Amino acid sequence: DNARRECKNMQASINHHLKTIGRELGLEIPLTMYVARHSWASIARDNGIPIKIISSGMGHNSERTTQIYLTSIETKEVDKANSKIIKLI
């Protein structure tokens, strides 16, 4: 239908602009709506924002969906591990 087509066109336009911004910032991965949403949710989780709030912010119908969406390992822990390994090199 027309509304669905408009939504897909808008998302494609937003992704195009986000990728341009990402390239200008020198990001290694293409910046997209998915990357932006996942980053927001991960940062919120890593900073103690309750899953209920993250779920609402993501527009999910259930907290279970949000928990599936988020990675099981906290970003801070991966960053700490990477720092330790870099120091060993």
Side-chain angles (χ1 to χ4, degrees), residues 7-89:
C7 183
K8 285 188 175 225
N9 288 340
M10 183 60 69
Q11 184 173 4
S13 177
I14 290 169
N15 279 333
H16 171 77
H17 292 295
L18 285 172
K19 286 177 184 177
T20 300
I21 291 167
R23 280 192 304 274
E24 289 178 9
L25 291 172
L27 299 180
E28 293 181 16
I29 61 170
L31 185 58
T32 63
M33 287 290 293
Y34 176 82
V35 170
R37 284 172 52 86
H38 192 274
S39 296
W40 180 87
S42 295
I43 292 166
R45 180 211 49 218
D46 291 350
N47 283 279
I49 305 297
I51 294 291
K52 181 177 182 174
I53 302 299
I54 297 170
S55 185
S56 178
M58 300 291 290
H60 292 160
N61 291 328
S62 75
E63 290 179 34
R64 181 167 160 75
T65 301
T66 305
Q67 290 170 337
I68 292 168
Y69 188 84
L70 293 170
T71 58
S72 61
I73 301 173
E74 290 193 23
T75 306
K76 287 180 186 178
E77 295 304 314
V78 173
D79 290 344
K80 285 179 192 176
N82 285 335
S83 292
K84 286 181 181 179
I85 292 169
I86 289 170
K87 288 177 185 177
L88 296 172
I89 297 175

